[in-house]
Amino acid sequence: MKKRWICLFVENEIGVLAKISGLFSGKSYNLDSLTVGTTEDKSISRMTISLTSDDKTFEQIKKQLNRSVEVIKVVDFTDIAIRMKELVFVKVDSCSDKDIDEIFRISQIFNISVIDYTTAAVLIESIQTENRNNSLIALLEKCFPNRIGIVRSGSVAIEALNITER
C-alpha cells in the first residue's frame, strides 16, 4: 500500500463531483482527501485526490477515471515532482497565559500564523505539507490534550518547475 495523488481536470458541471466520488465509493475505494476548484478556464475544474492503494488497484482507478466522459485529463502525481500544500485551522480552548505563550512559540517554530485569540482560546492557521501539518497536530495534541479542534482542507498540488519537495 502506498500513498498516491491524482490530479483530474474535469468539466465544471453540476453532478461531476458526485459522479467522480461515486466511482470511488462504488468500488469501495477510500479517499484520504479530495479538493476541487475552478481553473483559469471557468468551464474546467481541477480535482486533487489523495488515496492509499496498491499498484493494481491504483491502475484500475486511473483507467476508470479516464473512461469517465466528464474527465478531460488524469495526471498521476505519485512519482513526479510537485508542490503540495494543505490548509489546517487548529483551535486550542481553555488556555492559560502560559498555554498562549507556548502556542505563540510553536507558531514561530512551525512558521504558522496565529490568526485570532482571546484570553481563553487561540486559533492558528497552517499552510504546510500534509506531513508537516501532521507533525504540528501531533505536538498540539500532546501539549493540549482534549482541548483542540481541527479543520483540514485536503491537499492541493501542482507540478513543480524544478524541485522535488512534497
Side-chain angles (χ1 to χ4, degrees), residues 15 21 26 40 45 47 62 73 80-81 89 100 109 111 115 123 126 128-129 131 134 150-151 155 160:
S21 61
E40 61 282 357
S45 290
M47 295 183 175
K62 289 191 297 186
K73 183 178 179 182
I80 65 171
F89 291 110
I100 292 172
I109 292 167
N111 194 28
I115 59 171
L123 180 60
S126 177
Q128 308 276 345
T129 63
N131 288 340
N134 287 342
I150 301 167
V151 178
S155 297

Side-chain angles (χ1 to χ4, degrees), residues 86-108:
E86 87 172 339
L87 170 64
V88 173
F89 291 110
V90 181
K91 184 168 80 170
V92 184
D93 290 314
S94 304
C95 294
S96 66
D97 289 343
K98 183 179 174 185
D99 292 337
I100 292 172
D101 289 344
E102 182 64 15
I103 293 166
F104 273 89
R105 277 193 290 280
I106 292 169
S107 72
Q108 289 176 334

Side-chain angles (χ1 to χ4, degrees), residues 13-143:
E13 296 177 354
I14 295 171
V16 172
L17 176 59
K19 288 180 182 179
I20 298 299
S21 61
L23 183 148
F24 283 87
S25 66
K27 299 289 185 180
S28 298
Y29 302 143
N30 188 41
L31 301 177
D32 295 329
S33 73
L34 180 136
T35 58
V36 183
T38 57
T39 64
E40 61 282 357
D41 179 343
K42 301 300 179 209
S43 68
I44 297 173
S45 290
R46 182 182 181 123
M47 295 183 175
T48 304
I49 300 172
S50 171
L51 64 141
T52 303
S53 74
D54 58 42
D55 292 339
K56 183 178 177 182
T57 301
F58 191 59
E59 288 305 315
Q60 289 174 338
I61 290 169
K62 289 191 297 186
K63 286 178 185 175
Q64 290 170 342
L65 289 169
N66 273 311
R67 283 193 293 255
S68 179
V69 173
E70 298 82 13
V71 174
I72 298 163
K73 183 178 179 182
V74 176
V75 182
D76 180 356
F77 276 175
T78 303
D79 294 318
I80 65 171
I82 58 174
R83 287 296 235 166
M84 182 179 295
K85 300 287 183 190
E86 87 172 339
L87 170 64
V88 173
F89 291 110
V90 181
K91 184 168 80 170
V92 184
D93 290 314
S94 304
C95 294
S96 66
D97 289 343
K98 183 179 174 185
D99 292 337
I100 292 172
D101 289 344
E102 182 64 15
I103 293 166
F104 273 89
R105 277 193 290 280
I106 292 169
S107 72
Q108 289 176 334
I109 292 167
F110 276 83
N111 194 28
I112 59 177
S113 300
V114 173
I115 59 171
D116 203 2
Y117 72 97
T118 67
T119 56
V122 177
L123 180 60
I124 58 176
E125 174 187 76
S126 177
I127 303 171
Q128 308 276 345
T129 63
E130 180 182 6
N131 288 340
R132 185 81 169 150
N133 282 333
N134 287 342
S135 297
L136 170 65
I137 290 167
L139 176 61
L140 292 171
E141 287 175 335
K142 182 179 177 184
C143 293

